[in-house]
Amino acid sequence: MYFWQRQKHLHSEKLKFIWLFIRYCVILQLELTKKHYFETLNMNYSPFLHPELETMPRKQLEALQLERLQKTVRHCMNSPFYQEKFAQLGITPDDIKTLDDVKKLPFTTKDDLREHYPFGLACVPLRDCTRLHSSSGTTGNPTVVLHTQKDLEEWAQAVARCLWMVGSRPEDVFQNSAGYGMFTAGLGFQYGAEKVGMLTVPAAAGNTTRQIKFIKDFGTTVLHAIPSYASRIYEVMREEGVNPRRDTQLRVLCIGAEPHSEEQRKRIEENLGVKAYNSYGISEMMGPGVAFECPEQNGIHIWEDYFIVEIIDPVTLEPVEDGQVGELVITTINREAMPLLRYRTRDLTSIIRGQCPCGRTHTRLSRLQGRSDDMIILKGVNIFPIQIEKILLKFKELSTDYLITIETVDGNDTMTVEVELRDLFTDDYRVLQKLTKDITRLLKDEILVTPKVKLVPKGGIKTSDEGKAVRVKDLRKLF
C-alpha cells in the first residue's frame, strides 16, 4: 500500500514539475517573440525622429542656440516683468553676443510667477494664446504658464521625440496613467503619443484595476506612470494573479514626476518585465518633453534646440564644474507666449559631457538627486530622501513605499523612517528585529545620523491626493 502511495506522490510531483517547466518555456517564448517582433519593427525605422536636430554637430547646435537666445531675449522685452529686470541690471538685448552671456541675464523663480499672477510674464496678447496650465497653488497663488498654438505644436514634437527615442512606434499602443486637466503630464504625453502615431489610451490617474484591464484588453505596449504608481500597478497585478510578462504586451515604461533611485527603477523593470526610461519635465518649461533617457540609460538628454542649461550652486548662484551636483537652471529659447530666462528649477543634478553612444549630441543630465528645497538638515547633516530610498531598496523584504518623519522630541531633532514590508514573510520577532537593525546600520553609514526604523504592513503608508508618494513630513515646522 505504501509503495503505491509513494509512486502516486512521485508521479504527481513529476507532473507538477513538467507543468512548471512547460509554463516557463511558454513565457520565455512569448518574451522572445515579443522582443523579436519589435526589434524587426524598429529595423524599418530610423532611431531618430528629428535626425537633423538630434545629431546636429555641437558647433552648429550652439550657433542655433545663440540665434534663438538672442531672438528670445528681444521677445522678452514685451513683458513688463523682464523690462524691469533688465533695467535693474543695466543690460539690453544687445549685450547678449555669445552663449556665455546668458550669465548676464536675470534669474526667474517660481515666486516671480506667483507674485505676477496670473499673466504678468506674458510676452504676447492673451488673444494669441491657446491654452494655459496651472499648478495646484496649495501654498498661495498657483503658477500659470501660457501657450500659443505654435508652443503647443513644439511641445508635442518634443514629447514625440522622447517617445520615439525609447522605441515607441506607430504600431504601439500607449496608455497614459497621468492626470489630465491642469496637470501637464496628461495632455503633454497625449499629444506627443498622437504625434508618433500610436493608438492612445487616455486612462488618466487612479483605478488600478481598470488600468490593468486596459493594459490586458487593449494590448498596451508603452505605459506612462510615476514610479510609485508603477510599483502599485505591479502589486495589484500580483493580487489579481496577473503575470505582466505572460499576460500583457508591456515593453516600455516612461517614469518621472518624482525622484527615484536606480534601485527602484531596476526593481520596476524586473517586476513588470519592461525597460523603464526616466522622463524629466517641469510645467514652467512646458511639462514632459524637457529631457528624456535614451536606450543607453546613461543620463537624460535635454533638448538644446529648446533650452539652454546651466548648473549653479544654489547658495552662491555661481556655476559649478561639470560633473558636480548643483541646481538646474533652464532658459527657454523656442517659446512665444511666455519664455523664461534662467529659471531656477530647484532640481539637483549634474551635466554629463561627451557624445552619447546613441548618436545624439545633446547634453545629458545625471539622475536627479532631489530638490534643493527638499533637503533635510538634521544635526548639521544635509540629507536627501533619495539617499534613504537607495538603502531601503537594497532589501528585498521591503516595498517601495516609505515615509520619513522629522520631529523635535525633548529638544532634540529626530528622524523616523517608516517602510512597508513587501509581504508579511514572517511574524518571527527575532527576524523582524534583525531586519530593522540591518536597515538602521546601513542608513547610519549613508546619512551619518541614526534614524528610528519602523516596519509597517503593506498598504500602511498613504499617498497624497495627487497620487504622488509623500516621502517627508517635517513636523519641526509646526513649532
Side-chain angles (χ1 to χ4, degrees), residues 382-430:
N382 297 339
I383 303 167
F384 292 98
I386 202 165
Q387 291 176 273
I388 293 172
E389 177 181 292
K390 181 177 70 174
I391 297 301
L392 297 179
L393 289 180
K394 291 180 181 293
F395 294 87
K396 293 184 178 180
E397 301 91 339
L398 303 180
S399 175
T400 56
D401 289 324
Y402 63 92
L403 175 64
I404 304 163
T405 303
I406 312 295
E407 56 188 338
T408 303
V409 179
D410 297 329
N412 293 316
D413 289 348
T414 65
M415 172 187 288
T416 301
V417 178
E418 297 175 80
V419 57
E420 290 185 8
L421 292 167
R422 192 170 188 177
D423 289 297
L424 189 57
F425 65 97
T426 181
D427 58 359
D428 188 322
Y429 174 77
R430 288 173 299 179

Side-chain angles (χ1 to χ4, degrees), residues 83-152:
Q83 288 178 15
E84 182 179 347
K85 286 283 189 180
F86 273 55
Q88 290 172 354
L89 294 174
I91 61 173
T92 70
D94 293 334
D95 292 316
I96 308 304
K97 302 182 186 300
T98 68
L99 280 181
D100 198 53
D101 289 335
V102 73
K103 298 182 180 67
K104 298 178 181 179
L105 298 173
F107 286 108
T108 309
T109 67
K110 186 180 288 285
D111 286 341
D112 290 328
L113 273 66
R114 286 172 172 159
E115 290 170 9
H116 295 80
Y117 172 87
F119 307 129
L121 274 72
C123 289
V124 299
L126 286 183
R127 65 174 178 272
D128 294 338
C129 297
T130 303
R131 191 198 306 164
L132 67 78
H133 282 275
S134 172
S135 70
S136 59
T138 55
T139 56
N141 280 335
T143 58
V144 173
V145 179
L146 296 164
H147 302 273
T148 64
Q149 190 59 50
K150 179 179 179 297
D151 291 335
L152 295 177

Side-chain angles (χ1 to χ4, degrees), residues 31-97:
E31 286 288 307
L32 292 173
T33 301
K34 182 168 68 173
K35 181 179 179 183
H36 175 72
Y37 170 75
F38 283 105
E39 284 179 349
T40 304
L41 183 64
N42 283 330
M43 288 175 61
N44 299 322
Y45 291 104
S46 165
F48 310 105
L49 184 62
H50 308 133
E52 69 289 348
L53 290 169
E54 294 176 56
T55 63
M56 184 177 285
R58 287 299 306 179
K59 285 188 177 180
Q60 194 175 337
L61 180 56
E62 289 167 4
L64 176 63
Q65 284 186 300
L66 178 58
E67 176 188 336
R68 290 184 171 183
L69 173 63
Q70 291 171 327
K71 180 179 178 181
T72 295
V73 170
R74 289 192 295 271
H75 185 50
C76 283
M77 291 299 94
N78 293 314
S79 161
F81 169 79
Y82 280 120
Q83 288 178 15
E84 182 179 347
K85 286 283 189 180
F86 273 55
Q88 290 172 354
L89 294 174
I91 61 173
T92 70
D94 293 334
D95 292 316
I96 308 304
K97 302 182 186 300

